[in-house]
Amino acid sequence: MSEMHSKSAFLYGQVRRALQSGHYLPGQRIDPAALAAEFNTSPTPVRFALYRLVGEGLLSDHARSGLYVPLLTEVALRDLYDWMERLLLIACEVGPAPIASARIGAPDSGAVEEDVVKATWKLFDAIARSTGHRYLHDAVKRTNDRLAPVRRAKRHLLDDLAAELGVLTRLWDEGDIDGLRAALQRYYARRKRLVPCIVATMNEGRERLH
């Protein structure tokens, strides 16, 4: 692996984690020069990393004005929720591949209590990965990444998140696919009702940028 590729991969991981954690706010401009200075590197590997994130939909390229964290609108968030729900229901319909374990990658109860956001990402990734369909798994991973900051921002808007995720995890562990499918539909119906509140919460931070 070349030094340039190694630096770019490292920077990609750092910025991706920062986006998932909500470190960057919707509408915030990402300055490649500032990142290069922060990580003591040249602008080239930074730009390679950032444009990889553009390709994954985690950043938006506004041409002359630069790269930005995508703005979150009610329409966009409903589309993301609907897309993730459809992907997971397809994964349920396909079911685990014969070589996959029903518990592949599923979070344990301790992980759920410690960080619901990370545990949610891990469970949904496990459901998709177990099918053995690479393109389905890739689609879930990308949507998971885009929803991670949303999950952090809306934690105070929903009660019993750990218990809710615990039910999904138990159904997955037990191989109750019909029960899991119904629980996922309830999970997303609950969030779609809160879309205006979630978007307003996330955009509060954006207003402080101006």
Side-chain angles (χ1 to χ4, degrees):
M1 180 182 292
S2 69
E3 183 180 358
M4 180 72 71
H5 183 76
S6 178
K7 285 183 177 179
S8 177
F10 170 76
L11 289 162
Y12 162 81
Q14 292 293 107
V15 178
R16 179 174 171 270
R17 281 188 288 273
L19 289 165
Q20 287 180 312
S21 70
H23 177 74
Y24 298 114
L25 300 171
Q28 183 172 348
R29 185 175 182 273
I30 305 298
D31 184 1
L35 282 172
E38 178 182 349
F39 291 101
N40 192 29
T41 188
S42 67
T44 301
V46 173
R47 290 189 179 279
F48 283 158
L50 294 181
Y51 277 102
R52 182 177 172 186
L53 292 164
V54 169
E56 295 178 358
L58 296 177
L59 291 177
S60 297
D61 184 1
H62 291 205
R64 293 182 181 178
S65 62
L67 303 175
Y68 290 81
V69 180
L71 291 172
L72 192 68
T73 66
E74 292 183 23
V75 171
L77 182 55
R78 284 195 182 92
D79 282 349
L80 272 177
Y81 277 147
D82 186 62
W83 180 232
M84 187 59 140
E85 180 182 4
R86 289 172 184 267
L87 289 171
L88 292 173
L89 292 178
I90 290 170
C92 287
E93 182 177 349
V94 172
I99 61 172
S101 164
R103 289 184 53 84
I104 183 171
D108 58 32
S109 59
V112 170
E113 290 292 342
E114 182 178 348
D115 191 333
V116 173
V117 174
K118 287 184 179 179
T120 301
W121 195 103
K122 189 173 182 180
L123 175 63
F124 292 169
D125 184 75
I127 292 171
R129 183 156 48 99
S130 73
T131 65
H133 286 260
R134 181 166 60 88
Y135 292 113
L136 175 59
H137 183 209
D138 286 347
V140 168
K141 283 174 64 178
R142 292 189 181 202
T143 313
N144 236 350
D145 285 347
R146 295 185 68 180
L147 283 172
V150 177
R151 292 173 187 143
R152 291 205 179 278
K154 62 126 173 67
R155 283 177 297 179
H156 70 284
L157 297 175
L158 289 165
D159 297 326
D160 303 324
L161 287 173
E164 180 185 46
L165 185 61
V167 170
L168 293 174
T169 302
R170 176 180 56 78
L171 292 167
W172 171 244
D173 283 345
E174 294 175 353
D176 184 355
I177 300 302
D178 288 339
L180 179 61
R181 184 184 296 110
L184 285 168
Q185 290 172 325
R186 292 193 298 271
Y187 177 96
Y188 281 105
R190 188 182 182 202
R191 280 147 183 80
K192 289 173 187 177
R193 288 194 293 269
L194 285 175
V195 161
C197 294
I198 296 169
V199 171
T201 296
M202 296 195 73
N203 286 341
E204 285 174 5
R206 178 196 166 207
E207 291 170 2
R208 294 196 293 270
L209 296 175
H210 302 286

